[in-house]
């Protein structure tokens, strides 16, 4: 399995398993330790800009409670934490324990109060009406058909009334570098964020308040509001 397939969880079986031969002494695999650098290379050094563009779509306010589901190494959430401030709450969840471990390390280094946990989008371990804003970036294309249906019900359940769901994923219609990477044959089709994702949002009871090309043109976004 190549590096890109590992990053995108292709054919790994249970998401929390990993090859011990690729693990360094602290238990975090090589590809997770270098995930941020790899993504930054793939995006031509624009990772921070993409995160800021995504955050500006969300209209976060100081004091908000925010969840990043499929948070990876936590980079977006730590930026979000700067906006929600000390009165707010920033929580990251990811199904891959090594990602969560790496996110915790990163948070520790920056003296962040954000918390991270291992969980899947179709079973979010928080009560109803907990979050003002939920982000899901570059993770939708990982999900199986049955997870997709359950995911939107869960996201609706944990959002507060009028809470917003911001989903960002690859826009394959633009035939960009991301869709030509190995392990991405499953996303080489139409702009699924603006079609499939918005449809699923509506089925789950969200009002789609905005959708379109992300300022980073390789991506699309959709924003749903819980009624
Ligand atoms: C391509 S990475 C994106 C990470 C981060 N959101 C970003 O934008 O850089 C996809 C992440 O989604 C996580 N993931 C995949 N399936 C998931 C699921 N069912 N529930 C939660 N996280 C999942 C993976 O472990 C991985 O960290």
């Amino acid at each position: 399995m190549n590096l890109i397939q590992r990053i995108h969880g292709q054919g790994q079986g249970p998401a929390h398993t990993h090859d011990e031969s690729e693990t360094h002494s602290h238990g975090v695999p090589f590809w997770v330790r270098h995930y941020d650098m790899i993504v930054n290379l793939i995006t031509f050094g624009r990772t921070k800009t993409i995160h800021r563009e995504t955050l500006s779509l969300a209209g976060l306010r100081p004091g908000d409670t925010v969840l990043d589901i499929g948070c990876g190494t936590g980079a977006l959430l730590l930026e979000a934490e700067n906006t929600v401030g000390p009165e707010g709450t920033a929580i990251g969840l990811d199904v891959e324990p090594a990602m969560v471990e790496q996110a915790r390390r990163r948070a520790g280094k920056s003296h962040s109060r954000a918390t991270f946990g291992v969980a899947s989008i179709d079973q979010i371990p928080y009560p109803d009406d907990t979050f003002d804003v939920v982000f899901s970036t570059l993770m939708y294309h990982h999900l199986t058909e049955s997870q997709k249906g359950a995911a939107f019900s869960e996201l609706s359940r944990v959002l507060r009334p009028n809470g917003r769901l911001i989903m960002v994923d690859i826009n394959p219609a633009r035939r960009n570098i991301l869709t030509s990477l190995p392990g991405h044959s499953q996303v080489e089709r139409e702009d699924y964020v603006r079609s499939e994702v918005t449809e699923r949002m509506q089925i789950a009871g969200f009002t789609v308040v905005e959708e379109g090309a992300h300022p980073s043109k390789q991506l699309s976004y959709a924003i749903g509001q819980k009624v």
Side-chain angles (χ1 to χ4, degrees), residues 17-94:
T17 62
H18 59 263
D19 181 353
E20 292 301 329
S21 65
E22 296 190 5
T23 300
H24 82 351
S25 56
H26 302 294
V28 175
F30 173 88
W31 66 270
V32 173
R33 276 183 288 133
H34 298 285
Y35 175 86
D36 293 329
M37 184 198 70
I38 295 161
V39 171
N40 210 32
L41 280 175
I42 292 170
T43 59
F44 302 107
R46 296 193 69 252
T47 312
K48 252 189 185 297
T49 306
I50 294 170
H51 287 161
R52 289 189 180 146
E53 290 165 346
T54 300
L55 291 173
S56 74
L57 292 170
L60 277 180
R61 290 168 295 220
D64 276 350
T65 299
V66 56
L67 168 67
D68 186 5
I69 181 78
C71 63
T73 57
L76 176 73
L77 187 73
L78 296 185
E79 287 278 346
E81 189 189 18
N82 292 331
T83 306
V84 301
E87 304 302 316
T89 306
I91 295 168
L93 296 173
D94 198 286

Coordinates of all heavy atoms in Angstrom, one line a residue, residues 17-94:
T17 N -6.3 -0.2 12.9 CA -5.1 -1.0 12.9 C -4.0 -0.4 12.1 O -4.2 0.4 11.2 CB -5.4 -2.4 12.3 OG1 -5.8 -2.1 10.9 CG2 -6.5 -3.1 13.0
H18 N -2.8 -0.7 12.5 CA -1.7 -0.2 11.6 C -0.5 -1.2 11.8 O -0.4 -2.0 12.7 CB -1.3 1.2 12.0 CG -0.8 1.4 13.4 ND1 -1.7 1.8 14.4 CD2 0.3 1.1 14.0 CE1 -1.0 1.8 15.6 NE2 0.2 1.4 15.4
D19 N 0.4 -1.0 10.8 CA 1.6 -1.9 10.7 C 2.6 -1.5 11.7 O 3.2 -0.4 11.6 CB 2.1 -1.8 9.2 CG 3.2 -2.7 9.0 OD1 3.7 -3.3 9.9 OD2 3.7 -2.8 7.8
E20 N 2.9 -2.3 12.7 CA 3.8 -2.0 13.7 C 5.2 -1.7 13.2 O 6.0 -0.9 13.7 CB 3.9 -3.1 14.8 CG 2.7 -3.3 15.6 CD 2.3 -2.0 16.4 OE1 3.1 -1.3 16.8 OE2 1.1 -1.9 16.6
S21 N 5.6 -2.3 12.0 CA 6.9 -2.0 11.4 C 7.1 -0.6 11.0 O 8.2 -0.1 10.8 CB 7.1 -3.0 10.2 OG 6.2 -2.6 9.2
E22 N 5.9 0.1 10.8 CA 6.0 1.5 10.4 C 5.8 2.5 11.5 O 5.6 3.6 11.4 CB 5.0 1.8 9.3 CG 5.3 1.0 8.1 CD 4.4 1.4 6.9 OE1 3.7 2.4 7.1 OE2 4.4 0.8 5.9
T23 N 5.9 2.0 12.7 CA 5.6 2.7 13.9 C 6.9 3.1 14.6 O 7.7 2.3 14.8 CB 4.7 1.9 14.9 OG1 3.5 1.6 14.2 CG2 4.4 2.7 16.1
H24 N 7.0 4.4 15.0 CA 8.2 4.7 15.7 C 8.0 4.4 17.2 O 6.9 4.0 17.6 CB 8.7 6.1 15.4 CG 8.1 7.2 16.1 ND1 7.0 7.1 16.9 CD2 8.4 8.5 16.2 CE1 6.6 8.2 17.4 NE2 7.5 9.1 17.0
S25 N 9.0 4.7 18.0 CA 9.0 4.3 19.4 C 7.8 4.9 20.2 O 7.4 4.3 21.2 CB 10.3 4.7 20.1 OG 10.4 6.1 20.0
H26 N 7.2 6.0 19.8 CA 6.0 6.5 20.5 C 4.7 6.0 20.0 O 3.7 6.5 20.4 CB 6.1 8.1 20.5 CG 7.4 8.6 21.0 ND1 7.7 8.5 22.3 CD2 8.4 9.2 20.4 CE1 8.9 9.0 22.5 NE2 9.3 9.5 21.4
G27 N 4.7 5.1 19.0 CA 3.5 4.5 18.6 C 2.7 5.2 17.5 O 1.6 4.9 17.2
V28 N 3.3 6.3 16.9 CA 2.6 7.0 15.8 C 3.3 6.6 14.5 O 4.5 6.9 14.4 CB 2.6 8.5 16.1 CG1 2.0 9.2 14.9 CG2 1.8 8.8 17.3
P29 N 2.6 6.1 13.5 CA 3.3 5.7 12.3 C 3.9 6.8 11.6 O 3.4 8.0 11.7 CB 2.1 5.1 11.4 CG 1.0 4.8 12.4 CD 1.2 5.8 13.5
F30 N 4.9 6.5 10.8 CA 5.6 7.5 10.0 C 4.7 8.4 9.2 O 4.8 9.6 9.2 CB 6.6 6.8 9.1 CG 7.3 7.6 8.1 CD1 8.5 8.2 8.5 CD2 6.8 7.9 6.8 CE1 9.2 9.0 7.6 CE2 7.5 8.7 6.0 CZ 8.7 9.3 6.3
W31 N 3.7 7.8 8.5 CA 2.9 8.6 7.6 C 2.0 9.6 8.4 O 1.6 10.6 7.8 CB 2.1 7.7 6.7 CG 1.0 6.9 7.3 CD1 1.2 5.6 7.8 CD2 -0.3 7.2 7.6 NE1 0.0 5.1 8.4 CE2 -0.9 6.1 8.2 CE3 -1.1 8.3 7.3 CZ2 -2.2 6.1 8.6 CZ3 -2.4 8.3 7.7 CH2 -3.0 7.2 8.4
V32 N 1.7 9.2 9.6 CA 0.9 10.2 10.4 C 1.7 11.3 10.9 O 1.3 12.5 10.9 CB 0.2 9.4 11.6 CG1 -0.5 10.4 12.5 CG2 -0.8 8.4 11.1
R33 N 3.0 11.0 11.4 CA 3.9 12.0 11.9 C 4.1 13.0 10.8 O 4.4 14.2 11.0 CB 5.2 11.4 12.3 CG 5.1 10.9 13.8 CD 6.4 10.4 14.2 NE 6.7 9.1 13.6 CZ 7.9 8.8 13.1 NH1 8.9 9.6 13.0 NH2 8.0 7.6 12.5
H34 N 4.2 12.6 9.5 CA 4.5 13.5 8.4 C 3.3 13.9 7.6 O 3.4 14.4 6.5 CB 5.6 12.8 7.6 CG 6.9 12.6 8.3 ND1 7.7 13.6 8.7 CD2 7.4 11.5 8.9 CE1 8.7 13.2 9.4 NE2 8.5 11.9 9.6
Y35 N 2.1 13.6 8.1 CA 0.9 13.9 7.4 C 0.8 15.4 7.0 O 0.5 15.7 5.8 CB -0.3 13.5 8.2 CG -1.7 13.9 7.6 CD1 -2.3 13.0 6.7 CD2 -2.3 15.1 7.9 CE1 -3.5 13.4 6.2 CE2 -3.5 15.5 7.3 CZ -4.1 14.6 6.5 OH -5.3 14.9 5.9
D36 N 1.0 16.3 7.9 CA 0.9 17.7 7.6 C 1.8 18.1 6.5 O 1.5 18.9 5.6 CB 1.2 18.5 8.9 CG 0.1 18.3 9.9 OD1 -1.1 18.0 9.6 OD2 0.4 18.4 11.1
M37 N 3.1 17.6 6.6 CA 4.0 18.0 5.6 C 3.6 17.5 4.2 O 3.7 18.2 3.2 CB 5.4 17.4 5.9 CG 6.5 17.8 5.0 SD 7.9 16.7 5.2 CE 7.3 15.2 4.5
I38 N 3.1 16.2 4.2 CA 2.7 15.6 2.9 C 1.5 16.4 2.3 O 1.5 16.8 1.1 CB 2.3 14.2 3.1 CG1 3.5 13.3 3.6 CG2 1.7 13.6 1.8 CD1 3.1 12.0 4.2
V39 N 0.5 16.8 3.1 CA -0.6 17.5 2.7 C -0.2 18.9 2.2 O -0.7 19.4 1.1 CB -1.7 17.6 3.8 CG1 -2.8 18.6 3.3 CG2 -2.3 16.3 4.0
N40 N 0.7 19.5 2.9 CA 1.2 20.8 2.5 C 1.9 20.7 1.1 O 1.8 21.6 0.3 CB 2.2 21.4 3.5 CG 2.1 22.9 3.6 OD1 1.1 23.5 3.3 ND2 3.3 23.5 3.9
L41 N 2.6 19.7 0.9 CA 3.3 19.5 -0.5 C 2.2 19.3 -1.5 O 2.3 20.0 -2.6 CB 4.1 18.2 -0.4 CG 5.5 18.4 0.2 CD1 6.2 17.0 0.2 CD2 6.4 19.4 -0.6
I42 N 1.2 18.5 -1.3 CA 0.1 18.2 -2.2 C -0.6 19.5 -2.6 O -1.0 19.7 -3.7 CB -0.8 17.1 -1.7 CG1 -0.1 15.8 -1.6 CG2 -2.1 17.0 -2.6 CD1 -0.9 14.7 -0.9
T43 N -0.8 20.4 -1.6 CA -1.5 21.6 -1.8 C -0.6 22.8 -2.2 O -1.0 23.9 -2.1 CB -2.4 22.0 -0.6 OG1 -1.5 22.1 0.6 CG2 -3.4 20.9 -0.2
F44 N 0.6 22.5 -2.5 CA 1.6 23.5 -2.9 C 1.7 24.6 -1.8 O 1.8 25.8 -2.1 CB 1.2 24.2 -4.2 CG 1.1 23.2 -5.4 CD1 -0.2 22.8 -5.9 CD2 2.2 22.6 -5.9 CE1 -0.3 21.9 -6.9 CE2 2.1 21.7 -7.0 CZ 0.9 21.3 -7.5
G45 N 1.8 24.1 -0.6 CA 2.1 25.0 0.5 C 0.9 25.9 1.0 O 1.0 26.8 1.7
R46 N -0.3 25.5 0.5 CA -1.5 26.3 0.8 C -2.4 25.8 2.0 O -3.5 26.3 2.2 CB -2.4 26.5 -0.4 CG -1.7 27.2 -1.6 CD -2.6 27.5 -2.7 NE -3.6 28.6 -2.3 CZ -4.8 28.4 -2.0 NH1 -5.4 27.2 -2.1 NH2 -5.6 29.5 -1.7
T47 N -1.9 24.9 2.8 CA -2.7 24.3 3.8 C -3.3 25.3 4.7 O -4.5 25.4 5.0 CB -1.9 23.3 4.6 OG1 -1.2 22.4 3.8 CG2 -2.8 22.5 5.5
K48 N -2.5 26.2 5.2 CA -3.0 27.2 6.2 C -4.0 28.1 5.5 O -5.0 28.4 6.1 CB -1.8 28.1 6.7 CG -1.4 27.8 8.2 CD -0.4 28.7 8.7 CE 0.0 28.4 10.1 NZ -1.0 28.4 11.1
T49 N -3.7 28.5 4.3 CA -4.7 29.4 3.6 C -6.0 28.6 3.4 O -7.1 29.2 3.7 CB -4.1 29.7 2.2 OG1 -2.8 30.3 2.4 CG2 -5.0 30.7 1.4
I50 N -6.0 27.4 3.0 CA -7.2 26.6 2.8 C -8.0 26.5 4.2 O -9.2 26.7 4.2 CB -6.9 25.2 2.3 CG1 -6.3 25.3 0.9 CG2 -8.1 24.3 2.3 CD1 -5.7 24.0 0.3
H51 N -7.3 26.3 5.3 CA -8.0 26.3 6.6 C -8.6 27.6 6.9 O -9.8 27.6 7.3 CB -7.0 25.9 7.7 CG -6.6 24.5 7.6 ND1 -5.4 24.0 8.2 CD2 -7.1 23.4 7.0 CE1 -5.3 22.7 8.0 NE2 -6.3 22.3 7.3
R52 N -7.9 28.7 6.6 CA -8.5 30.0 6.9 C -9.7 30.3 6.0 O -10.7 30.8 6.5 CB -7.4 31.1 6.8 CG -6.4 31.0 7.9 CD -5.5 32.1 8.0 NE -4.6 31.8 9.2 CZ -3.4 32.1 9.3 NH1 -2.7 32.7 8.3 NH2 -2.7 31.8 10.4
E53 N -9.6 29.8 4.8 CA -10.7 30.0 3.9 C -12.0 29.2 4.4 O -13.1 29.7 4.3 CB -10.4 29.6 2.4 CG -9.4 30.5 1.8 CD -8.7 29.9 0.5 OE1 -8.8 28.7 0.3 OE2 -8.1 30.7 -0.2
T54 N -11.7 28.0 4.8 CA -12.8 27.2 5.3 C -13.4 27.8 6.6 O -14.6 27.9 6.7 CB -12.2 25.8 5.7 OG1 -11.7 25.2 4.5 CG2 -13.3 24.9 6.2
L55 N -12.5 28.3 7.5 CA -13.1 28.9 8.7 C -13.9 30.2 8.4 O -14.9 30.4 9.0 CB -11.9 29.3 9.6 CG -11.2 28.1 10.2 CD1 -9.9 28.6 11.0 CD2 -12.1 27.3 11.2
S56 N -13.5 30.9 7.4 CA -14.2 32.1 7.0 C -15.6 31.8 6.5 O -16.6 32.6 6.6 CB -13.5 33.0 6.1 OG -13.5 32.5 4.8
L57 N -15.8 30.6 5.9 CA -17.1 30.2 5.4 C -18.1 29.9 6.6 O -19.3 30.0 6.5 CB -17.0 28.8 4.7 CG -16.3 28.9 3.3 CD1 -16.1 27.4 2.8 CD2 -17.1 29.7 2.3
A58 N -17.5 29.5 7.8 CA -18.3 29.0 8.9 C -18.9 30.1 9.7 O -19.9 29.9 10.4 CB -17.4 28.1 9.7
G59 N -18.3 31.3 9.7 CA -18.9 32.4 10.5 C -18.8 32.1 12.0 O -19.8 32.3 12.8
L60 N -17.7 31.5 12.4 CA -17.5 31.1 13.9 C -17.6 32.4 14.7 O -17.1 33.4 14.3 CB -16.2 30.5 14.1 CG -16.0 29.0 13.8 CD1 -14.6 28.6 14.1 CD2 -17.0 28.2 14.6
R61 N -18.1 32.2 15.9 CA -18.1 33.4 16.9 C -17.5 33.0 18.2 O -17.5 31.8 18.6 CB -19.6 33.7 17.2 CG -20.3 34.4 16.0 CD -21.8 34.4 16.3 NE -22.3 33.1 16.4 CZ -23.5 32.7 15.9 NH1 -24.2 33.6 15.3 NH2 -23.9 31.5 16.0
P62 N -16.9 34.0 18.9 CA -16.3 33.7 20.2 C -17.4 33.0 21.1 O -18.5 33.4 21.0 CB -15.9 35.1 20.7 CG -15.8 35.9 19.5 CD -16.7 35.4 18.5
G63 N -17.0 32.0 21.8 CA -17.9 31.3 22.7 C -18.5 30.1 22.0 O -19.2 29.3 22.7
D64 N -18.4 29.9 20.7 CA -19.0 28.8 20.1 C -18.4 27.4 20.5 O -17.2 27.4 20.9 CB -18.8 28.8 18.5 CG -19.9 29.7 17.9 OD1 -20.9 30.1 18.5 OD2 -19.7 30.0 16.7
T65 N -19.2 26.4 20.5 CA -18.7 25.0 20.7 C -18.6 24.4 19.4 O -19.6 24.3 18.6 CB -19.7 24.3 21.6 OG1 -19.8 24.9 22.8 CG2 -19.3 22.8 21.9
V66 N -17.4 24.0 19.0 CA -17.1 23.5 17.6 C -16.5 22.1 17.7 O -15.7 21.7 18.5 CB -16.2 24.5 16.9 CG1 -14.9 24.8 17.6 CG2 -15.9 24.1 15.5
L67 N -17.0 21.3 16.7 CA -16.5 19.9 16.5 C -15.9 19.8 15.1 O -16.5 20.3 14.1 CB -17.7 18.9 16.6 CG -17.4 17.5 16.2 CD1 -16.4 16.8 17.1 CD2 -18.7 16.7 16.1
D68 N -14.7 19.2 15.0 CA -14.2 18.9 13.7 C -14.2 17.3 13.7 O -13.4 16.7 14.4 CB -12.7 19.4 13.6 CG -12.2 19.1 12.2 OD1 -12.9 18.6 11.3 OD2 -11.0 19.5 11.9
I69 N -15.0 16.8 12.8 CA -15.2 15.3 12.7 C -14.3 14.8 11.6 O -14.4 15.3 10.5 CB -16.6 14.9 12.6 CG1 -16.8 13.4 12.6 CG2 -17.4 15.5 11.5 CD1 -16.6 12.7 13.9
G70 N -13.4 13.8 11.9 CA -12.4 13.4 10.9 C -11.3 14.4 10.9 O -10.8 14.9 9.9
C71 N -10.9 14.8 12.1 CA -10.0 16.0 12.3 C -8.6 15.8 11.9 O -7.8 16.7 11.8 CB -10.1 16.5 13.8 SG -9.4 15.2 14.9
G72 N -8.2 14.5 11.6 CA -6.8 14.3 11.3 C -5.9 14.8 12.4 O -6.1 14.5 13.6
T73 N -4.9 15.5 12.0 CA -3.9 15.9 13.0 C -4.3 17.2 13.7 O -3.5 17.8 14.5 CB -2.5 16.2 12.4 OG1 -2.7 17.1 11.3 CG2 -2.0 14.9 11.8
G74 N -5.5 17.7 13.5 CA -6.1 18.8 14.3 C -5.8 20.2 13.9 O -6.1 21.2 14.6
A75 N -5.2 20.4 12.7 CA -4.7 21.7 12.3 C -5.9 22.7 12.2 O -5.8 23.8 12.7 CB -3.9 21.6 11.0
L76 N -6.9 22.3 11.5 CA -8.1 23.2 11.3 C -8.7 23.5 12.7 O -9.0 24.7 12.9 CB -9.1 22.5 10.4 CG -10.4 23.3 10.2 CD1 -10.1 24.5 9.3 CD2 -11.5 22.5 9.6
L77 N -8.8 22.5 13.5 CA -9.5 22.8 14.8 C -8.7 23.8 15.7 O -9.3 24.6 16.3 CB -9.7 21.5 15.6 CG -10.5 21.7 16.9 CD1 -12.0 21.9 16.6 CD2 -10.3 20.5 17.8
L78 N -7.4 23.7 15.6 CA -6.6 24.6 16.4 C -6.7 26.0 15.9 O -6.7 27.0 16.7 CB -5.1 24.1 16.5 CG -4.9 22.8 17.1 CD1 -3.4 22.4 17.3 CD2 -5.5 22.7 18.5
E79 N -6.9 26.2 14.6 CA -7.1 27.5 14.0 C -8.5 28.0 14.5 O -8.7 29.1 14.9 CB -7.2 27.5 12.5 CG -5.8 27.3 11.8 CD -5.1 28.7 11.7 OE1 -5.7 29.7 11.9 OE2 -3.8 28.6 11.5
A80 N -9.5 27.1 14.5 CA -10.9 27.4 14.9 C -10.9 27.9 16.4 O -11.6 28.8 16.8 CB -11.8 26.2 14.7
E81 N -10.0 27.2 17.2 CA -10.0 27.5 18.6 C -9.6 29.0 18.8 O -10.1 29.6 19.8 CB -9.0 26.6 19.3 CG -9.0 26.7 20.8 CD -7.8 25.9 21.4 OE1 -6.8 25.6 20.8 OE2 -8.0 25.7 22.7
N82 N -8.7 29.5 18.0 CA -8.3 30.9 18.1 C -9.5 31.8 18.0 O -9.6 32.9 18.6 CB -7.3 31.3 17.0 CG -6.0 30.6 17.2 OD1 -5.6 30.3 18.4 ND2 -5.3 30.3 16.1
T83 N -10.5 31.4 17.1 CA -11.7 32.3 17.0 C -12.7 32.1 18.1 O -13.3 33.1 18.6 CB -12.4 32.0 15.6 OG1 -11.4 32.1 14.6 CG2 -13.5 32.9 15.3
V84 N -12.9 30.9 18.5 CA -14.0 30.7 19.6 C -13.5 31.1 20.9 O -14.2 31.5 21.8 CB -14.5 29.2 19.6 CG1 -15.1 28.8 18.3 CG2 -13.4 28.2 20.1
G85 N -12.1 31.2 21.1 CA -11.5 31.8 22.2 C -11.7 31.0 23.5 O -12.3 29.9 23.5
P86 N -11.3 31.6 24.6 CA -11.4 30.9 25.9 C -12.8 30.6 26.4 O -13.0 29.6 27.1 CB -10.7 31.8 26.9 CG -10.6 33.1 26.2 CD -10.7 32.9 24.8
E87 N -13.8 31.3 25.9 CA -15.2 31.0 26.3 C -15.8 29.9 25.5 O -16.8 29.3 25.8 CB -16.1 32.3 26.1 CG -15.6 33.5 26.8 CD -15.5 33.3 28.3 OE1 -16.5 32.7 28.8 OE2 -14.5 33.7 28.9
G88 N -15.1 29.6 24.4 CA -15.6 28.5 23.5 C -15.0 27.2 23.8 O -14.2 27.0 24.7
T89 N -15.4 26.2 23.0 CA -15.0 24.8 23.2 C -14.6 24.2 21.8 O -15.4 24.3 20.9 CB -16.1 23.9 23.9 OG1 -16.5 24.6 25.1 CG2 -15.5 22.5 24.2
A90 N -13.4 23.6 21.7 CA -13.0 23.0 20.5 C -12.7 21.5 20.7 O -11.9 21.1 21.5 CB -11.8 23.7 20.0
I91 N -13.4 20.7 19.9 CA -13.3 19.2 20.1 C -13.1 18.6 18.7 O -13.7 18.9 17.7 CB -14.6 18.6 20.6 CG1 -14.8 19.1 22.1 CG2 -14.6 17.1 20.6 CD1 -16.2 18.8 22.7
G92 N -12.1 17.7 18.6 CA -11.8 17.0 17.4 C -12.0 15.5 17.6 O -11.6 14.9 18.6
L93 N -12.6 14.9 16.6 CA -12.8 13.4 16.7 C -12.2 12.8 15.4 O -12.4 13.4 14.3 CB -14.2 13.0 16.8 CG -14.9 13.5 18.1 CD1 -16.4 13.2 18.0 CD2 -14.3 12.8 19.3
D94 N -11.6 11.6 15.5 CA -11.2 10.9 14.3 C -11.2 9.4 14.6 O -11.0 9.0 15.7 CB -9.7 11.4 13.9 CG -9.4 11.0 12.5 OD1 -9.2 9.8 12.2 OD2 -9.3 11.9 11.6

